[in-house]
Amino acid sequence: MFIMLNPFYWWFCCDDDPLFHVYIIGGDGTMRGAVKIFDEIRRRKLNVAVVGIPKTVDNDVGIIDRSFGFQTAVEMAQQAISAAHVEAVSAVNGIGLVKLMGRSTGHIALYATLSSRDVDCCLIPEVDFFLEGKGGLFEFLDKRLKANGHAVLVVAEGAGQDIIPRTDSQKQEKDESGNPVFLDVGVWLKSELNKWWAREHPDELFTVKYIDPTYMIRAVAANATDNLYCTLLAHSAIHGIMAGYTGFVAGLINGNYAYIPLDDIASAKNPVNTKDHKWSWVRSVTNQPDFERS
């Protein structure tokens, strides 16, 4: 059974089944492109059906419960965190630093932190942080190293982009989609951690083990949960087209499979809500500060 969310577009050119089916699979940027394709098909009154299937490991597509690929990404991210924890524990004043995907949202970092239980601090794009001074990241890590002798730090790739120094040319740089080019927060943070320790504790041992599992996560085969979800999304998309609908996305809403207008999905966002219980769980698990300056 599928929930149908109006408005929907019925066939407008003829009473026959569509001659062509176009299945567009991807994240929010892909869905915005799908809207343009669909609008052009309508303008030309072509007998072509268009349907979107949300697939992005970042889980940044709005309205739906989750995107295909997200749970696999969290599972693989948890393995990277476990490796970072082993490396950190094995060194004197060791820090395991893991950079996870998430340009504009920190869902992977959040869920991987909650599932691993080895993370001391989680940094996401939705929450600003600072390094130096009271209440900053360095003060917190210093206390954690003194208490435990090691720490694990997880950072989403979009976190801290506003505090990384940039040249004028880097500030203007855009990628092929027109988005600002992000600098590598993991490499920068590793460098800043080493500088901080050399300055504050010059005679003490210290090491940062940096892990970037980006392509290990992107290239791995989907797990069983995502495989099942992908199959159901595919079936939903086909059933919707054969029922006479076009310009929609098949997705899960509150546990129910639904058909959502394509342009609604393309314009919706899915940031981490830092006011809800999930982020409170992260704060409870890690005991990290809120990074608000006094």
Side-chain angles (χ1 to χ4, degrees):
M1 171 179 261
F2 304 108
I3 297 175
M4 298 182 180
L5 303 181
N6 288 324
F8 277 105
Y9 304 103
W10 288 90
W11 297 118
F12 43 80
C13 49
C14 62
D15 295 329
D16 299 328
D17 288 338
L19 185 61
F20 296 103
H21 298 179
V22 179
Y23 299 90
I24 301 176
I25 305 170
D28 57 342
T30 301
M31 294 304 157
R32 288 193 293 270
V35 169
K36 295 183 180 296
I37 293 173
F38 176 60
D39 288 343
E40 183 62 18
I41 287 173
R42 284 202 297 168
R43 188 184 71 81
R44 300 188 186 190
K45 296 185 177 181
L46 300 177
N47 191 13
V48 178
V50 178
V51 58
I53 298 176
K55 192 284 305 175
T56 171
V57 296
D58 290 349
N59 199 37
D60 56 0
V61 175
I63 300 177
I64 61 174
D65 293 352
R66 71 177 189 275
S67 302
F68 162 63
F70 173 64
Q71 291 195 335
T72 303
V74 172
E75 183 176 312
M76 297 305 298
Q78 184 180 350
Q79 294 182 22
I81 292 172
S82 296
H85 179 251
V86 171
E87 290 290 343
V89 171
S90 302
V92 177
N93 292 321
I95 290 183
L97 173 61
V98 182
K99 185 189 76 172
L100 298 176
M101 288 176 290
R103 285 181 56 88
S104 57
T105 62
H107 291 287
I108 295 178
L110 184 153
Y111 278 85
T113 294
L114 291 176
S115 60
S116 73
R117 306 301 293 270
D118 288 326
V119 179
D120 293 279
C121 187
C122 177
L123 304 175
I124 60 175
E126 293 86 351
V127 177
D128 294 333
F129 69 94
F130 60 97
L131 303 181
E132 307 277 358
K134 185 174 179 57
L137 178 63
F138 290 163
E139 181 189 60
F140 170 73
L141 290 176
D142 194 39
K143 292 178 180 178
R144 191 56 57 93
L145 289 173
K146 288 178 180 177
N148 299 334
H150 69 276
V152 176
L153 176 60
V154 170
V155 57
E157 63 180 316
Q161 292 295 322
D162 57 331
I163 61 175
I164 302 177
R166 296 172 183 263
T167 64
D168 290 337
S169 61
Q170 287 174 329
K171 292 178 182 178
Q172 304 299 323
E173 193 175 359
K174 305 285 185 181
D175 62 17
E176 294 179 351
S177 300
N179 299 314
V181 174
F182 281 5
L183 299 182
D184 193 325
V185 65
V187 172
W188 171 76
L189 202 49
K190 178 183 178 181
S191 174
E192 293 300 310
L193 285 167
N194 282 319
K195 291 177 184 176
W196 158 67
W197 193 265
R199 183 175 64 249
E200 299 294 330
H201 308 277
D203 299 324
E204 298 182 43
L205 294 174
F206 179 73
T207 183
V208 179
K209 302 296 187 182
Y210 175 47
I211 297 177
D212 180 358
T214 297
Y215 291 102
M216 181 181 74
I217 292 175
R218 287 175 60 93
V220 73
N223 64 14
T225 302
D226 269 331
N227 266 323
L228 173 61
Y229 186 37
C230 183
T231 299
L232 294 175
L233 288 177
H235 288 182
S236 301
I238 293 170
H239 288 314
I241 283 183
M242 299 311 294
Y245 294 112
T246 184
F248 69 94
V249 172
L252 197 63
I253 300 180
N254 294 328
N256 296 296
Y257 287 87
Y259 298 150
I260 311 109
L262 187 57
D263 51 359
D264 287 352
I265 286 286
S267 60
K269 302 294 184 183
N270 185 34
V272 171
N273 182 2
T274 57
K275 303 298 183 183
D276 78 351
H277 59 283
K278 294 187 184 68
W279 185 246
S280 296
W281 288 344
V282 170
R283 293 285 308 280
S284 176
V285 167
T286 63
N287 288 319
Q288 67 189 65
D290 57 16
F291 298 115
E292 291 185 1
R293 294 184 183 274
S294 301

